[in-house]
Amino acid sequence: MKLNAPNFPSSRTKDGALYLDNAATSCPKPPEVARGMVRFLEETGANPGRSGHRLSIEAARLVYETRVAIAELFGAEDPLRVVFGLNVTDGLNLALHGLLRAGDHVITSSMEHNAVMRPLNELAHAGVQTTKVACNGDGSLDANLVEAAIQSNTRLIVLNHASNVCGTILPVREVGQIARKHGLLFLLDSAQTAGVLPIDMEADRIDLLAFTGHKSLYGPMGTGGLVVGPRLMPSQLLPQRQGGTGSRSEKEVQPDFFPDRYESGTPNALGLAGLLAALNWLKEEGIEAIREREEALCAELLAALGEIKGVELYGTRDASKQTATVAFNIRGMESSTVGLRLDEEFNILCRVGLHCAPSAHRSLGSFPDGNVRFGLGAFNSLEDVRFAVDAVRQLAKEVR
Amino acid sequence: MDYAVILVDSISLGLRIESLMKKEGLSYKLIPVPRHLSSDCGFCVRILKEDSDTVQNLLQEHKIEIQAIEDL
């Protein structure tokens, strides 16, 4: 179903609320997603690749097709190097804990989500050292500072493609080039960008790409993982759990090949059925078309919010330099109050507070108070943006 | 009909081979690994014995590493 079709699902929820929390998870999903999942439950339903019968093979085929679609989306050559897990956090944990050892040094930015910060802080106890390169007040990053932070024991650079707080896009290609030039590995957190900004593992020199299925890929929750580039051998990346894989059953040691080494236990084939349907939908719509639509709405939202007296915007304030995630505060009103009143009085659902990213808020100057985040998605309209801006205007008027 | 089987590390690799076979119009079927060939509970790709050499070349061309091709 095309985005501009008259009967396209609106961004209003079943109970009539305006959903502006797409940076947390996209909602609604394309109708194909639920249909794909129901079809899997009703027509396939078997355990993928575990048994010899045709339904087991059919389920495995669906999982494999999802690997192929993910590999194609991110410019990865080998679909077997797409490792599925729960979400982007799962993928990041596999990459960080699987790679890093005592004595290793990692470079990251101050705009990272706790999905990166917490594993790195945990790894600090194991002797892994981290340099957090400071970002600018709008969340942007000077790639030269990343290069300047390289030490003799630096092994990895890990970067958030775009901020989950204010949408600011970080210079992935430049940092990828720096990493490659110095022989370092490059891990990208694509939570906020996969499906809305182009990502090419080869051109961007990404060795490890952590992704989630339930945000801009429009799949269900519980899908995501890590795509591993050709420079890494399985022996260099330790699995974070061991168990049955349906392969090499005669052996009681973990397989040493992709993807089985990292995918013990029955996978979320139901979720992947939904993700595959979502990826097919995304391909049909075109990432560029979705980005264009979101960028235009974001520009409108930034401009209109910026005109309201008492509203403070965070980030680049330039729609071309960010995803369609907009952060702001109303001076004199706590962000939590704004969120509650938008929900109760205006039927608008958004996210307030620190967004699991205290370091990013420090960079933006909104720590510890946090801010209000409007996360636009493919299904939002200009009407939605105007409605939300009107609501903020009314709240801001009260404070003055 | 005489058959051979391609023994592979994982079902994922088997499915990758399947997509190649499909593209090349070769006859194949995914089946459980015959017990006399391996104690593994996994799958293998059954092909026509007469296609063995063609398949061998095809796999090499695509740099796909398999365990073996065995006659049934």
Side-chain angles (χ1 to χ4, degrees):
Chain A
M1 192 178 291
K2 298 300 275 186
L3 273 173
N4 295 324
N7 55 345
F8 199 77
S10 82
S11 48
R12 294 278 171 172
T13 60
K14 278 254 153 73
D15 68 352
L18 171 56
Y19 186 83
L20 291 181
D21 197 16
N22 287 280
T25 193
S26 54
C27 174
K29 307 295 184 189
E32 289 87 340
V33 174
R35 286 206 286 270
M37 295 173 81
V38 169
R39 197 182 313 122
F40 178 82
L41 282 173
E42 291 183 348
E43 296 174 22
T44 312
N47 197 326
R50 296 302 198 268
S51 318
H53 56 76
R54 64 180 186 278
L55 282 184
S56 173
I57 295 174
E58 194 51 45
R61 200 173 274 131
L62 181 138
V63 173
Y64 177 75
E65 281 171 19
T66 316
R67 283 188 217 286
V68 171
I70 287 286
E72 194 183 309
L73 178 68
F74 298 132
E77 203 184 320
D78 184 357
L80 269 53
R81 282 173 168 257
V82 175
V83 174
F84 286 125
L86 285 172
N87 43 45
V88 70
T89 301
D90 215 17
L92 288 166
N93 270 274
L94 168 57
L96 295 170
H97 286 282
L99 267 181
L100 298 170
R101 300 288 166 264
D104 287 343
H105 174 246
V106 187
I107 299 170
T108 192
S109 87
S110 68
M111 287 303 286
E112 302 305 308
H113 188 277
N114 271 345
V116 164
M117 294 304 191
R118 286 180 175 175
L120 287 179
N121 279 322
E122 186 68 26
L123 281 160
H125 301 301
V128 174
Q129 191 196 345
T130 298
T131 298
K132 199 162 83 177
V133 176
C135 291
N136 302 314
D138 62 0
S140 62
L141 173 68
D142 179 356
N144 293 321
L145 296 179
V146 173
E147 189 160 29
I150 294 172
Q151 305 176 177
S152 59
N153 59 338
T154 304
R155 180 120 187 269
L156 176 78
I157 300 174
V158 50
L159 205 63
N160 194 351
H161 194 173
S163 165
N164 66 302
V165 177
C166 61
T168 303
I169 298 168
L170 299 191
V172 168
R173 192 156 288 189
E174 278 175 85
V175 172
Q177 276 167 352
I178 290 167
R180 197 58 61 93
K181 188 171 109 190
H182 293 271
L184 311 177
L185 293 167
F186 182 32
L187 164 62
L188 189 72
D189 172 357
S190 72
Q192 296 293 323
T193 55
V196 72
L197 293 182
I199 296 173
D200 186 320
M201 288 183 73
E202 206 175 309
D204 295 331
R205 293 168 174 79
I206 299 161
D207 295 298
L208 299 130
L209 179 76
F211 68 98
T212 196
H214 71 99
K215 295 183 196 253
S216 302
L217 294 183
Y218 292 91
M221 297 175 211
T223 59
L226 184 71
V227 189
V228 184
R231 296 206 307 154
L232 265 164
M233 291 300 112
S235 58
Q236 295 170 278
L237 185 68
L238 294 182
Q240 296 309 295
R241 58 177 192 273
Q242 290 78 30
T245 54
S247 54
R248 297 269 172 93
S249 289
E250 78 279 14
K251 290 191 177 148
E252 290 184 344
V253 292
Q254 192 69 2
D256 57 0
F257 47 83
F258 285 102
D260 296 25
R261 182 169 168 80
Y262 310 100
E263 288 187 355
S264 290
T266 299
N268 179 13
L270 172 63
L272 294 175
L275 181 60
L276 180 59
L279 291 167
N280 288 336
W281 173 83
L282 203 60
K283 198 172 167 184
E284 203 175 299
E285 291 294 336
I287 286 179
E288 298 78 13
I290 291 176
R291 168 64 180 162
E292 203 177 305
R293 184 185 163 99
E294 286 190 7
E295 196 177 319
L297 291 180
C298 180
E300 180 75 22
L301 181 59
L302 285 167
L305 286 178
E307 281 173 11
I308 301 173
K309 209 175 158 197
V311 166
E312 186 181 358
L313 282 168
Y314 298 89
T316 65
R317 297 163 204 211
D318 178 345
S320 70
K321 292 179 180 160
Q322 63 173 88
T323 58
T325 295
V326 172
F328 66 95
N329 265 322
I330 298 175
R331 274 180 222 113
M333 194 181 283
E334 282 186 1
S335 63
S336 52
T337 306
V338 176
L340 185 63
R341 293 193 58 185
L342 285 172
D343 185 344
E344 288 182 343
E345 296 168 33
F346 297 92
N347 222 1
I348 295 172
L349 310 179
C350 63
R351 181 162 174 189
V352 299
L354 291 174
H355 314 98
C356 296
S359 174
H361 277 277
R362 280 195 183 92
S363 302
L364 298 169
S366 48
F367 186 86
D369 298 333
N371 57 31
V372 186
R373 181 182 77 178
F374 283 169
L376 301 174
F379 305 142
N380 285 123
S381 62
L382 194 55
E383 194 188 15
D384 293 343
V385 168
R386 286 179 182 153
F387 184 83
V389 169
D390 275 345
V392 174
R393 191 178 291 123
Q394 287 185 48
L395 291 178
K397 216 179 272 177
E398 287 181 22
V399 186
R400 266 183 269 149
Chain B
M1 194 73 78
D2 288 334
Y3 292 108
V5 290
I6 312 171
L7 299 176
V8 289
D9 275 340
S10 68
I11 180 76
S12 306
L13 191 60
L15 290 163
R16 192 173 166 203
I17 293 170
E18 175 185 69
S19 69
L20 265 183
M21 303 286 291
K22 213 182 275 178
K23 209 180 284 173
E24 295 293 323
L26 293 163
S27 176
Y28 70 91
K29 189 173 184 190
L30 286 173
I31 61 164
V33 179
R35 297 289 294 181
H36 69 275
L37 290 178
S38 162
S39 57
D40 205 322
C41 73
F43 297 82
C44 61
V45 187
R46 190 184 71 185
I47 58 173
L48 297 177
K49 195 177 165 185
E50 63 191 56
D51 288 339
S52 290
D53 290 344
T54 314
V55 170
Q56 189 87 261
N57 291 335
L58 187 68
L59 295 175
Q60 266 171 12
E61 200 182 302
H62 287 84
K63 293 180 187 141
I64 293 178
E65 282 180 37
I66 58 163
Q67 290 172 8
I69 295 184
E70 302 270 6
D71 290 345
L72 275 190

